[in-house]
Amino acid sequence: MPLRQLPLIAALVLLFVAPAHAAKQVDLDYVVKFVPERDVAEIELLLEDGSAVRQIDFNLGNEGSYSDFETDAEGSWEESGGRGVWRPVSGKARLSYQVKVSHQRKSGRFDARMTEDWALLRGDDLVPAGRLDQKDGVRLTSRMTVVLPEGWTSVETGWPRIGKNRFRIDNRERLFDRPTGWIVAGKLGTRRVKLGETDVTVAAPVGEGLRRMDIVTMMTFVWPELQSVFPRDPKKLLVVGAGDPMWRGGLSGPNSLFMHADRPLVSENGTSSLVHELVHVFSRITDADRSDWISEGLAEYYAIELVRRAGGMSEDRYQHVREHLTKWSRKVDTLRTEHSTGPVTAKAVLLLQDLDREIRTRSKSRHSLDDVARGLMRLNKVTTEDFIDISESLLGSGSKVLDTRLLR
């Protein structure tokens, strides 16, 4: 190629590449103010330049959790059928509203709660999911600032801190960045540790009985095994917890998870709720088409397997765990369901253990169920058909383990 053509080609490349890097950065600030005496959070969305956004269509649900919407005089807000549409004004734009914080399940337990001393909830509930319609060439830069009541000492989220009670919200998988995941605020006790490339924070309201150092120790113990299966390095991970009347289990969220203070790190049946939820956080596997057995089964499989690989479970104990799973799941005749129950998940774990042995044997230990899990991580939604396809591609032919009525 003649050298004199190179500047022309370079110029053409820059002509087509430059627009991708010239996106206009527009600030979107969330301001969250907790008001414990009314059990609400007051929310403000502050948009640096409203002309960059045509509208945001929010899913408000049907529970009446959101109220008192207000926007600028020239902007507009319309509510209908459980949805709300904000069309911002040009220039600096503002939308404000209130959201009820405490949420009680039918069991009487809470999965979100605020007292006079603390609040524990998911950010997903503070800012509802929305469909963002923005102009081409625009990128929103989202941040959250939390305003604490007098006497409250701190706030923790699963997002990187960029100032006092201020966090950067950046989810590359979403167009509309909002503060998803667990949030705890108030009079807190906190432990911090660096595991791999991740800043881990374990926080709970003072007096709620969460064993923070026990959790840090368990996570340190299984972290190398967890990352070997699910190779992710989140910047930050938050573990929160509290005692009764909070929900007595574990619940995962983006970059975060909740554990009830009374849950043991390893239960009498040999599984670990903490590791189970960690697997959900790291794998991010979600399912469709009556295939909840996949995400729940894998989380429970690795809740046993990662502790075993880390040296925390003998072979005798492992066999006792299998016996318990077999008894618990003996009446299960199908895994295909929208919501996997305990016995269904137990049956799924047994199937996954058998599949791992089949893959290792037939591949002469070149592959394992770990390879299946890493393949599933790349999919937005996982179905039973996807699971079978990935497994059999590793095997090179049909699987005897997966040729079962349980998956039909």
Side-chain angles (χ1 to χ4, degrees):
M1 179 185 296
L3 291 178
R4 64 178 178 273
Q5 292 185 16
L6 289 176
L8 176 60
I9 292 172
L12 289 172
V13 168
L14 288 173
L15 179 65
F16 289 102
V17 172
H21 296 280
K24 179 183 178 182
Q25 301 290 323
V26 176
D27 291 341
L28 173 60
D29 284 288
Y30 302 101
V31 180
V32 177
K33 180 180 180 181
F34 290 112
V35 187
E37 60 268 23
R38 292 192 286 119
D39 193 21
V40 301
E42 297 175 348
I43 313 295
E44 282 188 314
L45 275 64
L46 304 175
L47 193 56
E48 178 190 15
D49 182 5
S51 66
V53 173
R54 297 184 184 91
Q55 67 176 37
I56 306 178
D57 182 355
F58 294 97
N59 180 6
L60 304 180
N62 299 311
E63 295 187 357
S65 300
Y66 305 94
S67 63
D68 299 315
F69 286 91
E70 293 184 2
T71 187
D72 309 272
E74 296 180 12
S76 72
W77 172 260
E78 297 176 6
E79 269 183 78
S80 178
R83 303 201 71 88
V85 179
W86 180 34
R87 296 182 180 89
V89 65
S90 297
K92 292 186 177 180
R94 171 182 173 273
L95 174 69
S96 66
Y97 58 91
Q98 293 186 6
V99 56
K100 180 174 171 56
V101 172
S102 297
H103 181 264
Q104 193 171 19
R105 294 186 168 200
K106 292 180 180 179
S107 64
R109 299 282 176 178
F110 289 82
D111 54 19
R113 187 167 182 245
M114 182 154 61
T115 74
E116 63 180 13
D117 293 323
W118 53 267
L120 179 56
L121 69 158
R122 279 170 287 195
D124 313 49
D125 299 327
L126 293 177
V127 181
R131 295 195 292 261
L132 172 64
D133 182 4
Q134 65 185 28
K135 292 185 178 179
D136 294 339
V138 169
R139 176 173 172 76
L140 298 184
T141 301
S142 301
R143 298 173 292 245
M144 178 178 67
T145 300
V146 179
V147 180
L148 298 176
E150 185 177 354
W152 290 26
T153 57
S154 60
V155 57
E156 296 290 347
T157 80
W159 299 102
R161 188 183 295 272
I162 57 174
K164 185 177 180 180
N165 302 338
R166 188 170 170 83
F167 305 87
R168 174 74 170 96
I169 311 299
D170 185 14
N171 188 338
R172 298 183 182 277
E173 298 173 2
R174 297 175 184 268
L175 182 61
F176 178 44
D177 283 337
R178 60 194 183 102
T180 54
W182 285 94
I183 296 174
V184 61
K187 300 175 182 178
L188 307 181
T190 304
R191 292 288 182 268
R192 305 181 196 278
V193 66
K194 183 98 169 182
L195 296 177
E197 299 300 317
T198 303
D199 292 319
V200 177
T201 300
V202 182
V206 172
E208 288 298 304
L210 188 72
R211 295 176 177 85
R212 292 180 288 273
M213 282 305 299
D214 290 5
I215 291 173
V216 167
T217 301
M218 182 67 165
M219 292 177 66
T220 304
F221 181 65
V222 301
W223 195 268
E225 303 298 338
L226 180 69
Q227 283 204 306
S228 71
V229 181
F230 306 105
R232 293 194 195 277
D233 289 297
K235 290 182 180 179
K236 185 176 178 182
L237 176 65
L238 173 67
V239 180
V240 300
D244 292 340
M246 293 295 291
W247 189 73
R248 297 183 67 86
L251 292 168
S252 61
N255 305 331
S256 59
L257 64 91
F258 164 85
M259 286 290 299
H260 190 279
D262 289 346
R263 292 291 297 176
L265 295 183
V266 179
S267 64
E268 286 299 316
N269 63 14
T271 65
S272 170
S273 294
L274 174 64
V275 180
H276 181 109
E277 299 304 328
L278 282 171
V279 172
H280 279 309
V281 172
F282 271 76
S283 72
R284 303 181 195 170
I285 294 172
T286 57
D287 38 65
D289 189 28
R290 297 182 299 117
S291 298
D292 195 43
W293 71 270
I294 298 174
S295 59
E296 289 302 318
L298 282 170
E300 192 70 354
Y301 168 84
Y302 283 109
I304 299 166
E305 185 64 19
L306 297 182
V307 174
R308 181 191 188 198
R309 293 180 189 180
M313 184 181 298
S314 67
E315 185 60 29
D316 285 347
R317 183 61 186 161
Y318 177 73
Q319 293 304 325
H320 283 305
V321 170
R322 276 186 58 87
E323 290 171 8
H324 169 76
L325 295 172
T326 301
K327 292 177 182 177
W328 195 16
S329 64
R330 65 185 183 278
K331 294 183 180 179
V332 174
D333 56 10
T334 181
L335 299 181
R336 302 299 300 278
T337 177
E338 293 292 342
H339 301 288
S340 185
T341 62
V344 169
T345 299
K347 182 70 78 173
V349 172
L350 293 170
L351 180 140
L352 293 171
Q353 290 174 341
D354 291 342
L355 177 63
D356 180 64
R357 279 193 293 274
E358 182 182 30
I359 294 173
R360 290 177 185 272
T361 299
R362 288 175 54 179
S363 70
K364 297 181 179 179
S365 297
R366 291 192 304 272
H367 299 295
S368 70
L369 188 67
D370 297 356
D371 298 293
V372 178
R374 286 189 283 267
L376 296 173
M377 288 171 64
R378 297 183 174 91
L379 302 179
N380 289 330
K381 292 281 188 178
V382 175
T383 66
T384 298
E385 184 178 357
D386 295 328
F387 184 92
I388 293 173
D389 287 345
I390 292 174
S391 300
E392 293 188 341
S393 69
L394 289 172
L395 289 166
S397 61
S399 165
K400 293 181 179 179
V401 172
L402 298 181
D403 184 16
T404 170
R405 290 188 314 164
L406 291 171
L407 301 183
R408 297 187 187 120

